[in-house]
Amino acid sequence: MYKMLKGNEASAYAAMLASVDVIPAYPITPSTLFPEKISQFLANNEMDAAFIPVESEHSAMSAAIGASATGARVMTATSSQGLAYMHEMLPIASGMRMPIVMAIGNRALSAPLNIWNDQQDSISERDSGWLQFYAENNQEVLDLILLAFKISENKNVLLPSMVCMDAFLLTHVMEPVEVPEKQSVMDFVGKKEINYPIVDVNKPATLGSFAGPDYYTEFRYQVSKAMEGSVSVIDHAFAEFSKKFKRHYSRVEAYKAEDAEFLYISMGSISGTIKEAVDILRENGVKAGLLRIITFRPFPSDILKKYLAKNVKVAVIDRNVVPGAENSALSTELKAMLYCEKEKAEVKDVIIGLGGRDVTIDNIKDIYYSYEKNKEPVIWLQLKKELVEVMP
């Protein structure tokens, strides 16, 4: 059935539908609605799970790792400083091969204190060994979480996943979401198979132990190879999901990109605005298109190369900053990918929408019309120079 759901509520419904066993969580704006909705499900006997209200986000991830180590299906949610506070535990989760799923309400990092949207928080964790999926709308929030369980728990992956949704733009905005029947979800996700060592007094095993120089490299290698190997698992899961639920997903959504001479590349809810701008540009004779990255980790180089192996102009829309580099995160990944290609697309990095600043259709159109005039490698499109000049 269809329900009007906020993004946080959609993530909680996904946890309920997937029969999550353990949910450790600590509230933080804008993700607090997730544990609130879970509490409601439990109070109404709509869900059977152990909900652990902990004293911090660090403890939430610690508890998630401990629960996953017993073989439980585990999910949590956080945002911004909470995700940063978890940082110590994130590579432990991936290094111990714990298939935890976490919903991220993408929010700007302090300082200054800001509760609105950009993607700096999850981007800062791109090297932690977690798969990362970015939703454009609340339907995708629910669907991608279900897919994340299917993918993370695959015996050839066994890596945790983040499903990212833009703060307030998705977390707190109500949209119609098709909520599938629980049985159909369980038929798709399946019961969690325990095909790896777990904490069991009857079968002693050492988990997350000390590893010196003679062994550490091999552990990191295995995580890296599992990330690379997850590509085929993701593609298969997306195809299976499409067949069962009639909603199609790919690691990269190509919107009017086949014949495009000017391509936008983006992640998250801003992609909807870009699609509107692309339609308008097309009406005015501009062959514009969009490549929306859904799966940021593993990075979808194979798909992107297909569209960028030609003389095409590219504007990478980044809602994050990488201080000290000439590009932001998504642009850096893209340029590194193209480095050894014979034919290189012309790529410019556009930083926009930081800290929740509104991004309009006109902003997106201006990127195209000012592309040739702007010679800077990084374009801060909405920068108020009069404010910058008076700041220390």
Side-chain angles (χ1 to χ4, degrees):
M1 67 176 67
Y2 278 92
K3 292 180 179 288
M4 290 298 293
L5 297 178
K6 300 173 183 178
N8 284 325
E9 293 173 330
S11 65
Y13 267 94
M16 182 265 287
L17 292 169
S19 294
V20 171
D21 300 308
V22 181
I23 301 172
Y26 185 83
I28 181 173
T29 302
S31 292
T32 303
L33 287 173
F34 171 80
E36 286 181 358
K37 191 64 179 178
I38 292 294
S39 298
Q40 182 182 346
F41 285 148
L42 294 172
N44 294 337
N45 293 318
E46 298 176 76
M47 185 177 185
D48 182 17
F51 176 56
I52 309 174
V54 293
E55 70 274 16
S56 73
E57 292 87 357
H58 187 284
S59 298
M61 185 49 57
S62 298
I65 292 169
S68 187
T70 69
R73 177 171 285 167
V74 183
M75 183 175 171
T76 187
T78 192
S79 176
S80 186
Q81 308 302 129
L83 181 61
Y85 194 16
M86 284 183 179
H87 173 73
E88 179 185 7
M89 306 308 297
L90 298 183
I92 294 176
S94 60
M96 291 179 65
R97 311 298 293 278
M98 299 300 172
I100 301 161
V101 174
M102 180 161 54
I104 306 295
N106 282 126
R107 166 189 150 187
L109 289 170
S110 299
L113 178 63
N114 180 293
I115 63 169
W116 290 274
N117 165 247
D118 62 38
Q119 296 166 346
Q120 191 71 49
D121 50 1
S122 55
I123 288 295
S124 296
E125 304 299 342
R126 59 180 169 163
D127 300 329
S128 61
W130 286 59
L131 283 72
Q132 289 195 5
F133 303 93
Y134 287 79
E136 181 184 344
N137 53 53
N138 292 345
Q139 182 70 64
E140 291 189 4
V141 171
L142 188 149
D143 293 348
L144 288 174
I145 289 173
L146 300 180
L147 282 157
F149 282 115
K150 178 85 169 177
I151 294 161
S152 285
E153 293 175 2
N154 185 285
K155 65 181 181 180
N156 295 315
V157 180
L158 293 177
L159 290 174
S161 289
M162 296 179 189
V163 176
C164 305
M165 64 187 106
D166 288 343
F168 297 101
L169 298 168
L170 296 185
T171 59
H172 285 63
V173 171
M174 300 188 78
E175 296 178 349
V177 174
E178 185 176 355
V179 179
E181 294 181 355
K182 185 177 179 67
Q183 187 56 54
S184 64
V185 170
M186 290 308 297
D187 289 343
F188 172 73
V189 177
K191 292 184 178 180
K192 186 178 180 184
E193 295 183 17
I194 310 303
N195 43 32
Y196 56 94
I198 61 172
V199 176
D200 184 345
V201 293
N202 297 314
K203 298 179 181 178
T206 301
L207 304 179
S209 60
F210 178 85
D214 291 343
Y215 298 99
Y216 184 82
T217 297
E218 286 68 31
F219 279 95
R220 302 319 302 167
Y221 175 80
Q222 286 183 324
V223 169
S224 296
K225 297 306 289 185
M227 181 70 75
E228 294 173 16
S230 70
V231 170
S232 60
V233 176
I234 293 169
D235 289 343
H236 184 269
F238 282 174
E240 187 179 343
F241 186 93
S242 175
K243 185 176 181 180
K244 186 172 185 62
F245 297 105
K246 311 305 178 187
R247 290 190 292 278
H248 175 70
Y249 291 102
S250 172
R251 286 175 289 132
V252 178
E253 178 194 4
Y255 183 78
K256 299 186 177 180
E258 292 295 338
D259 65 338
E261 297 173 356
F262 186 91
L263 278 171
Y264 297 95
I265 298 182
S266 67
M267 300 191 299
S269 65
I270 195 175
S271 304
T273 304
I274 297 173
K275 289 174 183 177
E276 293 290 337
V278 165
D279 290 344
I280 294 171
L281 288 170
R282 285 270 175 173
E283 291 172 1
N284 291 312
V286 178
K287 289 187 177 181
L290 166 68
L291 296 177
R292 176 173 70 97
I293 295 177
I294 296 177
T295 304
F296 181 65
R297 280 291 182 271
F299 194 69
S301 299
D302 55 330
I303 299 176
L304 292 171
K305 284 180 180 179
K306 183 178 75 170
Y307 292 96
L308 302 182
K310 54 184 179 180
N311 185 22
V312 61
K313 292 180 171 59
V314 178
V316 181
I317 312 299
D318 264 314
R319 297 190 91 153
N320 65 82
V321 178
V322 182
E326 288 192 354
N327 311 286
S328 289
L330 184 52
S331 180
T332 299
E333 300 274 348
L334 196 68
K335 289 183 178 180
M337 179 195 82
L338 293 171
Y339 180 76
C340 294
E341 297 297 311
K342 292 181 179 179
E343 297 181 15
K344 295 184 178 67
E346 182 181 350
V347 178
K348 290 186 180 180
D349 188 9
V350 181
I351 297 174
I352 194 170
L354 299 185
R357 186 168 293 181
D358 192 28
V359 180
T360 67
I361 293 173
D362 284 340
N363 290 148
I364 301 302
K365 287 161 53 183
D366 286 345
I367 292 170
Y368 168 76
Y369 288 116
S370 64
Y371 192 89
E372 296 296 341
K373 300 175 187 176
N374 204 318
K375 304 303 180 183
E376 296 294 326
V378 179
I379 303 167
W380 291 70
L381 192 66
Q382 298 171 316
L383 190 65
K384 297 178 180 178
K385 294 183 179 180
E386 69 276 10
L387 293 182
V388 174
E389 290 170 358
V390 298
M391 290 180 176

